[in-house]
Amino acid sequence: MHDFLLVSSMLLAVFLSGCGPFSLNCRDTNCSDYPTQKAAQLAFEADPACHADLDADHDGMACEENTGDEAH
């Protein structure tokens, strides 16, 4: 029971801290939400925990399949 309370407290602290994938400020996005790979990369670098889904192969590069140039 003690372990459950400890883990619950830690998860609550992360949730309330405003960072990471459990943050209320973490908006679910996909590569298609960004006009360019560069834009996705900037979002990923600003909060890697929140935008981890943008880096499918976990190599630090967001949305590698978005090979298009800057939006016109």
PDB file of all heavy atoms in Angstrom, residues 6 35 56:
ATOM      1  N   LEU A   6       3.166   6.100  -2.784  1.00  0.00           N
ATOM      2  CA  LEU A   6       4.372   6.783  -3.256  1.00  0.00           C
ATOM      3  C   LEU A   6       4.315   7.009  -4.758  1.00  0.00           C
ATOM      4  O   LEU A   6       4.552   8.119  -5.246  1.00  0.00           O
ATOM      5  CB  LEU A   6       5.617   5.972  -2.885  1.00  0.00           C
ATOM      6  CG  LEU A   6       6.950   6.558  -3.322  1.00  0.00           C
ATOM      7  CD1 LEU A   6       7.181   7.904  -2.640  1.00  0.00           C
ATOM      8  CD2 LEU A   6       8.071   5.597  -3.019  1.00  0.00           C
ATOM      9  N   PRO A  35       3.777  22.462 -40.529  1.00  0.00           N
ATOM     10  CA  PRO A  35       3.967  22.720 -41.960  1.00  0.00           C
ATOM     11  C   PRO A  35       5.294  22.192 -42.492  1.00  0.00           C
ATOM     12  O   PRO A  35       5.405  21.907 -43.685  1.00  0.00           O
ATOM     13  CB  PRO A  35       3.900  24.240 -42.068  1.00  0.00           C
ATOM     14  CG  PRO A  35       4.284  24.746 -40.712  1.00  0.00           C
ATOM     15  CD  PRO A  35       3.806  23.703 -39.747  1.00  0.00           C
ATOM     16  N   ALA A  56       9.426   9.068 -33.964  1.00  0.00           N
ATOM     17  CA  ALA A  56       9.012   7.666 -33.984  1.00  0.00           C
ATOM     18  C   ALA A  56      10.158   6.684 -33.745  1.00  0.00           C
ATOM     19  O   ALA A  56       9.973   5.660 -33.098  1.00  0.00           O
ATOM     20  CB  ALA A  56       8.317   7.344 -35.303  1.00  0.00           C
TER      21      ALA A  56
END
